[in-house]
Amino acid sequence: MSEKRRYMGARRLSLCALALLVSACPSRNPKDQEPLVQDAAVPAGDGIPRIIIVVGDGLGRGQLEAASLFRHGETDTLYLFELPHRGRISTASPSGITDSAASATAMATGVLTLNGRIGVDLDKVSAENLMELAKSRGMATGVVTNTRLAHATPASFTAHVDSRHKYQDIALDLMELEPDVMLGGGRKD
């Protein structure tokens, strides 16, 4: 496949993903309607709080503002800007432009690393991730993704390897962690 054709395919895929994001984001609720989301701090009926982390791979403030402008003609109008609990994190890599492995490692562990590394610090030492922390506290855990479970972003929440391309090692770490739920997709070309 030629470089130009690959670029055009990636561009088309990015535009489709942005269109899907925009179409899935309702505008702010009219004042006469009930809120779509209740306060996340309130535990479920059984008294056990739930924590769900949603990671939009490559999704930053700029992409959200573009989606808001496209859908509503102004910024900050996507409903997700009104969620009661949300956060931001700096995922800058010492490598320069951050890749998804280093970025997701920062999200999953709070530790900065070099591009291409998953779940390890600058010295290649394993850093405890959110899944391991939750498991150690007796919480149920899971990872759900629309790509392969061994892909850099989901793997950063479950594995510790010095290269994002060590798929077998990532899979072994994932199996050792034993999440309660593992759902993945994707296709290897």
Side-chain angles (χ1 to χ4, degrees):
M1 183 183 294
S2 74
E3 279 298 311
K4 182 177 180 181
R5 195 174 160 120
R6 188 175 316 178
Y7 168 77
M8 292 306 292
R11 184 172 179 237
R12 198 173 307 118
L13 182 62
S14 296
L15 291 173
C16 288
L18 180 60
L20 285 173
L21 172 69
V22 170
S23 64
C25 295
S27 60
R28 292 182 175 168
N29 290 333
K31 293 183 181 188
D32 59 327
Q33 289 184 354
E34 290 294 314
L36 295 174
V37 177
Q38 299 299 318
D39 187 349
V42 177
D46 58 9
I48 301 171
R50 297 331 195 257
I51 300 169
I52 299 173
I53 299 170
V54 178
V55 178
D57 197 352
L59 181 66
R61 184 73 182 184
Q63 289 83 2
L64 292 171
E65 293 298 347
S68 181
L69 280 168
F70 178 80
R71 177 74 173 184
H72 306 290
E74 59 183 301
T75 60
D76 294 326
T77 56
L78 298 178
Y79 187 73
L80 62 91
F81 290 129
E82 295 184 16
L83 292 173
H85 302 282
R86 56 192 184 276
R88 292 190 327 194
I89 184 172
S90 174
T91 59
S93 165
S95 302
I97 297 174
T98 307
D99 76 346
S100 55
S103 179
T105 293
M107 288 184 253
T109 67
V111 172
L112 296 181
T113 192
L114 296 175
N115 287 350
R117 295 183 183 174
I118 291 175
V120 297
D121 66 14
L122 292 170
D123 297 319
K124 299 183 182 180
V125 175
S126 294
E128 183 178 42
N129 60 48
L130 292 172
M131 296 276 282
E132 293 166 329
L133 181 63
K135 278 288 220 192
S136 72
R137 294 182 177 191
M139 300 173 78
T141 60
V143 60
V144 178
T145 181
N146 64 345
T147 188
R148 299 178 309 276
L149 289 165
H151 191 270
T153 300
S156 294
F157 288 84
T158 62
H160 306 280
V161 294
D162 62 0
S163 171
R164 65 184 291 161
H165 303 292
K166 292 184 175 179
Y167 301 117
Q168 289 182 329
D169 292 342
I170 293 168
L172 290 171
D173 279 1
L174 177 61
M175 297 305 294
E176 186 177 312
L177 183 60
E178 296 181 348
D180 299 286
V181 175
M182 294 185 292
L183 299 174
R187 182 180 89 176
K188 184 176 181 183
D189 291 329

